């Protein structure tokens, strides 16, 4: 895809069906082909066979039925889970360990959480491996960092996501052997940050039939000198640290040594409550808005 502000929008369908767009960003946003490719309804219509009846006519009922049936299946899975959750039926006794496939999920974020919620543990043996034992609703991290939202309102434990999970392992995968279908897991060090003379955490090796990698991403501070020494906002622990730090900044600005009305004291008070946010994405913008709210500043 190329952009040229001096050229008009042109489109071309090559012999290999590769779509080429030339034009400005505004023209790209108005392009009909890109609009169609951004919608599942249009994509399904475009890639149907030409001899299909009703090709471009009417609403795609097949897509509506498919999505509705997906929802029904999810509901049935949750209904079948009720007797097992209440202890009326033993999941381990329904099928032998050898017959159920072992599905290992790496991570506990959005993708992993979505899979855990709908997985039918009567058919698969689900094992979750993640350093964090809970799912975080990340859009609320900014509000939690200033006290607007409590941490328990934006998290859900892994075992609560699906009580029929066979096992949860608090650790991180360090090696995967796709040929032997084994995975090496380094367990979390419970004394990390508490005792400097702790031994290396133990590692375990386990087998799997299917592996789902949903480890997410890490905070990137490349290209911004000094950003590696700042507080981050990626997890509940980060939100808790940031909440404490922001509160201490306001307490620091209300000390008696800067309580006067002189120009220097006013300037110093302002400096002590000046915050720099690296990143203008959704989290950065929401955090800036939360810090600026009158309710937070007043209390």
């Amino acid at each position: 895809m190329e952009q040229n502000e001096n050229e008009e929008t042109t489109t071309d369908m090559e012999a290999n069906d590769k779509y080429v767009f030339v034009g400005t960003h505004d023209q790209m946003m108005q392009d009909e082909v890109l609009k169609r490719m951004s919608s599942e309804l249009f994509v399904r219509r475009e890639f149907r066979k030409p001899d299909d009846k009703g090709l471009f006519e009417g609403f795609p009922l097949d897509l509506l039925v498919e999505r509705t049936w997906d929802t029904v299946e999810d509901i049935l899975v949750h209904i079948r889970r009720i007797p097992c959750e209440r202890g009326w039926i033993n999941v381990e006794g329904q099928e032998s360990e050898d017959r159920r496939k072992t599905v290992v999920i790496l991570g506990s974020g959005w993708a992993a959480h979505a899979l855990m919620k709908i997985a039918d543990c009567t058919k698969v043996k689900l094992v979750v491996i993640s350093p964090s034992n809970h799912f975080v609703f990340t859009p609320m991290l900014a509000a939690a960092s200033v006290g607007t939202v409590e941490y328990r309102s934006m998290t859900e434990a892994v075992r609560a996501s699906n009580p029929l999970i066979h096992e949860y392992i608090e650790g991180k995968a360090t090696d995967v052997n796709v040929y032997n279908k084994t995975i090496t897991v380094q367990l979390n060090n419970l004394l990390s940050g508490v005792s400097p003379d702790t031994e290396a955490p133990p590692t375990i090796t386990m087998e799997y039939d299917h592996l789902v990698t949903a480890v997410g991403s890490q905070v990137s501070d490349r290209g911004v000198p000094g950003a590696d020494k700042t507080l981050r906002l990626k997890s509940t622990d980060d939100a808790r640290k940031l909440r404490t730090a922001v509160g201490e900044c306001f307490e620091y600005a209300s000390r008696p040594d800067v309580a006067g009305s002189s120009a220097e004291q006013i300037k110093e008070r302002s400096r002590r409550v000046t915050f720099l946010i690296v990143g203008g994405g959704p989290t950065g913008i929401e955090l800036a808005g939360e810090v600026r709210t009158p309710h937070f500043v007043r209390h």
Side-chain angles (χ1 to χ4, degrees):
M1 185 175 294
E2 300 176 358
Q3 294 184 6
N4 190 332
E5 296 181 355
N6 298 325
E7 296 183 8
E8 296 181 354
T9 304
T10 60
T11 60
D12 181 27
M13 295 298 285
E14 298 178 351
N16 59 355
D17 294 335
K18 180 180 179 182
Y19 179 73
V20 180
F21 176 86
V22 180
T24 63
H25 181 268
D26 292 338
Q27 292 170 338
M28 181 179 68
M29 298 304 294
Q30 299 174 359
D31 185 75
E32 291 298 328
V33 175
L34 293 181
K35 278 185 178 181
R36 292 183 178 183
M37 298 303 291
S38 64
S39 170
E40 185 178 4
L41 298 179
F42 281 110
V43 171
R44 293 290 293 270
R45 289 176 178 175
E46 292 291 341
F47 286 93
R48 284 180 177 177
K49 296 180 180 180
D51 56 350
D52 287 346
K53 295 182 179 180
L55 179 58
F56 299 107
E57 299 178 2
F59 187 81
L61 294 179
D62 58 338
L63 180 61
L64 178 61
V65 172
E66 181 179 345
R67 293 292 173 264
T68 303
W69 180 243
D70 289 342
T71 303
V72 173
E73 285 183 329
D74 294 344
I75 295 174
L76 292 177
V77 169
H78 285 277
I79 292 177
R80 290 199 302 265
R81 193 181 295 169
I82 293 176
C84 301
E85 292 177 350
R86 298 190 177 184
W88 300 340
I89 299 176
N90 184 7
V91 178
E92 303 295 336
Q94 282 190 338
E95 292 195 34
S96 64
E97 293 292 324
D98 295 334
R99 294 184 59 185
R100 285 196 302 164
K101 298 290 187 179
T102 300
V103 178
V104 175
I105 301 178
L106 302 182
S108 57
W110 288 91
H113 180 260
L115 178 56
M116 283 185 280
K117 295 285 285 187
I118 64 173
D120 189 352
C121 292
T122 62
K123 299 180 180 179
V124 298
K125 185 169 64 174
L126 200 63
V127 179
V128 180
I129 302 173
S130 175
S132 178
N133 64 354
H134 58 272
F135 162 75
V136 181
F137 189 76
T138 50
M140 289 187 177
L141 278 174
S145 62
V146 298
T148 306
V149 175
E150 289 299 326
Y151 306 114
R152 63 178 179 272
S153 301
M154 50 176 273
T155 60
E156 184 178 34
V158 169
R159 294 181 178 89
S161 302
N162 188 343
L164 303 184
I165 290 177
H166 177 75
E167 186 178 10
Y168 164 72
I169 300 176
E170 190 177 39
K172 61 181 180 181
T174 57
D175 183 69
V176 177
N177 190 325
V178 295
Y179 299 103
N180 298 328
K181 289 191 174 182
T182 60
I183 182 170
T184 303
V185 182
Q186 184 182 58
L187 304 181
N188 279 12
N189 190 352
L190 300 180
L191 298 180
S192 177
V194 178
S195 176
D197 300 328
T198 57
E199 298 180 355
T203 60
I204 62 173
T205 301
M206 61 181 305
E207 298 179 350
Y208 67 86
D209 294 303
H210 302 284
L211 179 65
V212 179
T213 303
V215 295
S217 59
Q218 295 181 343
V219 177
S220 176
D221 50 31
R222 293 179 298 177
V224 184
D228 57 328
K229 300 178 177 62
T230 61
L231 296 172
R232 301 187 176 189
L233 191 54
K234 182 73 172 178
S235 63
T236 52
D237 290 337
D238 295 338
R240 189 177 293 106
K241 293 177 182 178
L242 184 59
R243 182 173 177 175
T244 301
V246 171
E248 290 298 327
C249 287
F250 278 97
E251 295 297 335
Y252 186 46
S254 59
R255 287 182 174 180
D257 58 332
V258 292
S261 58
S262 64
E264 293 183 358
Q265 290 175 321
I266 295 175
K267 183 178 179 180
E268 179 62 18
R269 281 202 305 271
S270 177
R271 187 190 69 83
R272 294 183 181 184
V273 288
T274 298
F275 304 98
L276 174 63
I277 300 176
V278 181
T283 303
I285 296 298
E286 290 176 6
L287 178 60
E290 292 288 347
V291 173
R292 293 277 298 181
T293 55
H295 174 79
F296 173 70
V297 176
R298 183 169 61 252
H299 293 87

